Amino acid sequence: MIELLRFNGSGTRSLSIPHQRAFLMLLRALTALTLATSAIAGTFTVDDDGGADFTEIRDAIAAASNGDLILVAPGSYQDFTLGKGLVIMGTAPGVQVSSGSRISSLAGNRRAVMADMSFTDLQVVNCNGAVVLDNLMVAGAAPSDYVQVTNSSDVRFHELVVNAGTGFRSGVFVSGSRSELVDCDVEADAAPGAGNDGVSGISLNDSSFAHIAGSSVRGGTGADGNFATCFSFSAGPGGDGSWCGVDGRRHRGQQPRHSRHDGGH
Protein backbone atom coordinates (compact mmCIF):
# COMPACT_ATOMS: atom_id res chain seq x y z
CA MET A 1 0.00 0.00 0.00
CA ILE A 2 1.10 3.55 -0.64
CA GLU A 3 -0.26 6.86 0.62
CA LEU A 4 -1.64 8.88 -2.25
CA LEU A 5 -2.12 12.63 -2.46
CA ARG A 6 -4.89 13.80 -4.78
CA PHE A 7 -3.55 16.26 -7.32
CA ASN A 8 -6.23 18.83 -6.45
CA GLY A 9 -5.25 18.75 -2.79
CA SER A 10 -8.70 17.56 -1.69
CA GLY A 11 -7.36 14.80 0.52
CA THR A 12 -5.51 11.52 0.71
CA ARG A 13 -6.40 7.90 0.58
CA SER A 14 -4.51 4.62 0.62
CA LEU A 15 -4.62 2.45 -2.47
CA SER A 16 -2.71 -0.52 -3.77
CA ILE A 17 -0.87 0.35 -6.97
CA PRO A 18 0.20 -2.86 -8.69
CA HIS A 19 1.10 -1.04 -11.92
CA GLN A 20 3.64 1.13 -10.08
CA ARG A 21 5.24 -1.92 -8.48
CA ALA A 22 5.32 -3.59 -11.87
CA PHE A 23 7.06 -0.54 -13.30
CA LEU A 24 9.68 -0.59 -10.53
CA MET A 25 10.25 -4.31 -11.02
CA LEU A 26 10.68 -3.72 -14.75
CA LEU A 27 13.14 -0.90 -14.15
CA ARG A 28 15.23 -2.94 -11.73
CA ALA A 29 15.10 -5.99 -13.99
CA LEU A 30 16.27 -3.82 -16.87
CA THR A 31 19.25 -2.62 -14.83
CA ALA A 32 20.04 -6.16 -13.63
CA LEU A 33 19.90 -7.48 -17.18
CA THR A 34 22.28 -4.78 -18.32
CA LEU A 35 24.67 -5.61 -15.48
CA ALA A 36 24.53 -9.31 -16.32
CA THR A 37 25.38 -8.55 -19.92
CA SER A 38 28.17 -6.27 -18.79
CA ALA A 39 29.69 -9.02 -16.64
CA ILE A 40 30.28 -11.01 -19.81
CA ALA A 41 31.95 -7.98 -21.39
CA GLY A 42 34.69 -5.82 -19.89
CA THR A 43 34.87 -4.17 -16.46
CA PHE A 44 36.92 -1.04 -15.74
CA THR A 45 37.64 0.67 -12.43
CA VAL A 46 38.08 4.38 -11.78
CA ASP A 47 39.57 6.04 -8.68
CA ASP A 48 40.86 9.61 -8.53
CA ASP A 49 43.36 8.50 -5.85
CA GLY A 50 44.98 5.98 -8.22
CA GLY A 51 45.32 2.22 -7.93
CA ALA A 52 42.56 1.61 -10.51
CA ASP A 53 42.45 1.31 -14.29
CA PHE A 54 41.84 5.04 -14.67
CA THR A 55 41.73 8.20 -12.56
CA GLU A 56 38.99 9.88 -14.66
CA ILE A 57 35.59 8.60 -15.80
CA ARG A 58 36.03 10.15 -19.25
CA ASP A 59 39.17 8.07 -19.86
CA ALA A 60 37.36 4.87 -18.89
CA ILE A 61 34.52 5.73 -21.29
CA ALA A 62 37.02 6.25 -24.11
CA ALA A 63 38.53 2.80 -23.51
CA ALA A 64 35.24 0.93 -22.99
CA SER A 65 33.05 -0.78 -25.57
CA ASN A 66 29.27 -1.16 -25.67
CA GLY A 67 28.12 -3.48 -22.88
CA ASP A 68 31.05 -2.76 -20.56
CA LEU A 69 30.78 -1.87 -16.87
CA ILE A 70 32.63 1.06 -15.25
CA LEU A 71 32.90 1.06 -11.45
CA VAL A 72 33.74 4.45 -9.90
CA ALA A 73 35.20 4.88 -6.40
CA PRO A 74 34.24 7.91 -4.26
CA GLY A 75 36.08 11.06 -5.31
CA SER A 76 35.91 14.18 -7.47
CA TYR A 77 35.87 13.77 -11.25
CA GLN A 78 35.83 15.92 -14.35
CA ASP A 79 32.73 16.13 -16.53
CA PHE A 80 32.27 13.55 -19.27
CA THR A 81 30.19 12.76 -22.36
CA LEU A 82 28.67 9.30 -22.71
CA GLY A 83 27.50 8.08 -26.12
CA LYS A 84 27.98 4.34 -25.66
CA GLY A 85 25.82 1.61 -24.16
CA LEU A 86 27.68 1.38 -20.86
CA VAL A 87 26.85 0.90 -17.20
CA ILE A 88 28.59 3.47 -14.94
CA MET A 89 28.10 2.96 -11.20
CA GLY A 90 29.47 4.48 -8.04
CA THR A 91 30.80 1.86 -5.64
CA ALA A 92 29.95 3.92 -2.54
CA PRO A 93 28.50 7.35 -1.68
CA GLY A 94 30.71 10.31 -2.56
CA VAL A 95 31.17 10.11 -6.35
CA GLN A 96 31.04 13.79 -7.38
CA VAL A 97 31.21 14.90 -11.04
CA SER A 98 31.82 18.52 -12.05
CA SER A 99 29.49 20.62 -14.20
CA GLY A 100 28.97 19.82 -17.89
CA SER A 101 28.34 16.07 -18.07
CA ARG A 102 25.99 14.71 -20.71
CA ILE A 103 24.65 11.56 -22.29
CA SER A 104 24.52 12.28 -25.99
CA SER A 105 23.64 10.61 -29.29
CA LEU A 106 23.00 7.12 -27.87
CA ALA A 107 21.99 4.78 -30.69
CA GLY A 108 18.55 3.22 -30.70
CA ASN A 109 19.88 -0.29 -30.13
CA ARG A 110 21.94 0.74 -27.08
CA ARG A 111 21.13 1.18 -23.38
CA ALA A 112 23.07 3.43 -21.02
CA VAL A 113 22.81 3.12 -17.23
CA MET A 114 24.24 5.46 -14.59
CA ALA A 115 23.75 4.91 -10.86
CA ASP A 116 24.87 6.12 -7.44
CA MET A 117 26.59 9.35 -8.48
CA SER A 118 26.30 13.11 -7.83
CA PHE A 119 26.36 15.90 -10.42
CA THR A 120 26.22 19.67 -10.51
CA ASP A 121 24.06 19.40 -13.64
CA LEU A 122 23.29 16.70 -16.21
CA GLN A 123 22.06 16.68 -19.81
CA VAL A 124 20.54 13.89 -21.91
CA VAL A 125 20.60 14.99 -25.55
CA ASN A 126 19.59 13.34 -28.86
CA CYS A 127 19.37 9.79 -27.48
CA ASN A 128 17.34 7.20 -29.39
CA GLY A 129 18.38 4.40 -27.05
CA ALA A 130 17.14 3.84 -23.49
CA VAL A 131 18.77 5.87 -20.72
CA VAL A 132 18.32 4.61 -17.13
CA LEU A 133 19.41 6.93 -14.30
CA ASP A 134 19.17 5.47 -10.81
CA ASN A 135 19.89 7.11 -7.44
CA LEU A 136 21.49 10.31 -8.75
CA MET A 137 21.92 13.54 -6.79
CA VAL A 138 22.01 16.83 -8.71
CA ALA A 139 22.90 19.97 -6.75
CA GLY A 140 25.20 22.98 -6.91
CA ALA A 141 25.87 26.01 -9.07
CA ALA A 142 24.37 24.67 -12.30
CA PRO A 143 24.78 27.06 -15.27
CA SER A 144 21.20 26.34 -16.45
CA ASP A 145 18.40 23.93 -15.50
CA TYR A 146 19.72 21.20 -13.23
CA VAL A 147 18.64 18.26 -15.41
CA GLN A 148 17.90 18.76 -19.12
CA VAL A 149 16.38 16.10 -21.38
CA THR A 150 16.25 17.09 -25.04
CA ASN A 151 15.17 15.14 -28.16
CA SER A 152 15.42 11.75 -26.43
CA SER A 153 12.96 8.89 -26.73
CA ASP A 154 13.24 6.92 -23.47
CA VAL A 155 14.78 8.45 -20.33
CA ARG A 156 13.96 6.82 -16.97
CA PHE A 157 14.79 8.36 -13.60
CA HIS A 158 14.56 6.40 -10.38
CA GLU A 159 15.32 8.04 -7.01
CA LEU A 160 16.62 11.23 -8.63
CA VAL A 161 17.14 14.02 -6.08
CA VAL A 162 17.48 17.63 -7.25
CA ASN A 163 18.46 20.06 -4.50
CA ALA A 164 18.06 23.53 -5.95
CA GLY A 165 19.53 26.86 -4.85
CA THR A 166 18.73 30.45 -5.78
CA GLY A 167 18.15 31.54 -9.38
CA PHE A 168 15.81 30.76 -12.26
CA ARG A 169 16.63 27.08 -12.90
CA SER A 170 14.02 24.35 -13.15
CA GLY A 171 14.71 21.06 -11.45
CA VAL A 172 14.06 19.06 -14.65
CA PHE A 173 13.57 20.60 -18.11
CA VAL A 174 12.19 18.26 -20.79
CA SER A 175 11.97 19.20 -24.48
CA GLY A 176 10.86 16.93 -27.33
CA SER A 177 11.35 13.84 -25.19
CA ARG A 178 9.66 11.01 -23.31
CA SER A 179 10.67 10.61 -19.66
CA GLU A 180 9.62 8.71 -16.56
CA LEU A 181 10.31 9.72 -12.94
CA VAL A 182 9.70 7.22 -10.15
CA ASP A 183 10.37 7.87 -6.46
CA CYS A 184 12.08 11.17 -7.26
CA ASP A 185 12.43 14.36 -5.21
CA VAL A 186 12.74 17.42 -7.46
CA GLU A 187 12.72 21.12 -6.63
CA ALA A 188 13.38 24.35 -8.54
CA ASP A 189 15.39 27.42 -7.57
CA ALA A 190 14.06 30.04 -5.21
CA ALA A 191 13.76 33.31 -7.12
CA PRO A 192 16.34 36.02 -6.30
CA GLY A 193 15.87 39.78 -6.24
CA ALA A 194 12.63 41.60 -5.54
CA GLY A 195 9.24 40.40 -6.77
CA ASN A 196 10.52 37.73 -9.21
CA ASP A 197 8.41 34.67 -9.97
CA GLY A 198 9.46 31.22 -8.90
CA VAL A 199 10.16 28.66 -11.64
CA SER A 200 8.68 25.21 -12.30
CA GLY A 201 9.95 22.06 -10.63
CA ILE A 202 9.49 20.15 -13.90
CA SER A 203 8.97 21.94 -17.22
CA LEU A 204 7.62 20.06 -20.26
CA ASN A 205 8.02 21.60 -23.72
CA ASP A 206 7.79 20.74 -27.43
CA SER A 207 5.49 17.70 -27.38
CA SER A 208 7.19 16.13 -24.38
CA PHE A 209 5.65 13.37 -22.25
CA ALA A 210 6.44 12.62 -18.62
CA HIS A 211 5.13 9.79 -16.45
CA ILE A 212 5.62 10.75 -12.79
CA ALA A 213 4.97 8.25 -9.99
CA GLY A 214 5.63 8.25 -6.25
CA SER A 215 7.54 11.53 -6.52
CA SER A 216 7.64 14.97 -4.93
CA VAL A 217 7.96 17.95 -7.30
CA ARG A 218 8.20 21.48 -5.92
CA GLY A 219 8.23 24.77 -7.78
CA GLY A 220 10.65 27.46 -6.63
CA THR A 221 9.51 30.08 -4.13
CA GLY A 222 8.81 33.58 -5.39
CA ALA A 223 11.06 36.40 -4.22
CA ASP A 224 10.00 38.74 -1.42
CA GLY A 225 8.77 42.20 -2.22
CA ASN A 226 10.88 45.25 -1.29
CA PHE A 227 9.98 48.77 -0.30
CA ALA A 228 12.10 51.81 -1.07
CA THR A 229 11.44 55.55 -0.89
CA CYS A 230 10.14 55.78 -4.45
CA PHE A 231 9.27 52.23 -5.45
CA SER A 232 7.23 49.37 -4.08
CA PHE A 233 7.60 45.78 -5.27
CA SER A 234 5.10 42.99 -4.71
CA ALA A 235 6.32 39.53 -3.79
CA GLY A 236 6.66 37.16 -6.74
CA PRO A 237 4.41 34.10 -6.92
CA GLY A 238 5.87 30.65 -6.45
CA GLY A 239 6.65 28.43 -9.41
CA ASP A 240 4.46 25.57 -10.55
CA GLY A 241 5.17 22.06 -9.35
CA SER A 242 5.00 20.97 -12.99
CA TRP A 243 4.32 22.98 -16.12
CA CYS A 244 3.57 22.22 -19.77
CA GLY A 245 4.92 24.82 -22.18
CA VAL A 246 4.34 25.35 -25.89
CA ASP A 247 3.16 22.04 -27.33
CA GLY A 248 4.06 20.27 -24.09
CA ARG A 249 1.81 17.23 -24.03
CA ARG A 250 1.28 16.35 -20.38
CA HIS A 251 2.58 14.63 -17.33
CA ARG A 252 0.67 11.55 -16.33
CA GLY A 253 0.04 9.69 -13.11
CA GLN A 254 -2.56 7.12 -12.25
CA GLN A 255 -5.89 8.38 -10.87
CA PRO A 256 -5.97 9.51 -8.18
CA ARG A 257 -2.49 10.91 -8.74
CA HIS A 258 0.09 9.44 -6.42
CA SER A 259 2.82 12.00 -6.92
CA ARG A 260 2.94 15.30 -5.10
CA HIS A 261 3.29 18.49 -7.18
CA ASP A 262 3.64 21.54 -4.98
CA GLY A 263 3.80 25.12 -6.19
CA GLY A 264 6.30 27.44 -4.53
CA HIS A 265 5.19 30.11 -2.09
Side-chain angles (χ1 to χ4, degrees), residues 101-172:
S101 292
R102 60 168 46 197
I103 303 172
S104 178
S105 303
L106 184 69
N109 60 342
R110 302 298 180 191
R111 181 182 301 115
V113 178
M114 291 200 310
D116 304 317
M117 304 168 69
S118 297
F119 296 84
T120 302
D121 59 290
L122 181 63
Q123 298 182 37
V124 181
V125 183
N126 298 330
C127 290
N128 292 320
V131 177
V132 179
L133 303 171
D134 184 37
N135 193 30
L136 301 187
M137 166 79 77
V138 182
S144 57
D145 298 308
Y146 290 92
V147 178
Q148 297 182 49
V149 180
T150 306
N151 298 330
S152 298
S153 59
D154 186 6
V155 181
R156 310 179 192 189
F157 297 93
H158 178 237
E159 294 186 348
L160 168 71
V161 176
V162 177
N163 286 337
T166 301
F168 298 101
R169 296 161 295 197
S170 292
V172 178

Side-chain angles (χ1 to χ4, degrees), residues 173-174 200 202-208 242-250:
F173 177 90
V174 184
S200 303
I202 295 178
S203 179
L204 303 179
N205 303 269
D206 301 325
S207 299
S208 291
S242 55
W243 181 83
C244 293
V246 178
D247 294 329
R249 289 178 58 192
R250 60 193 180 279

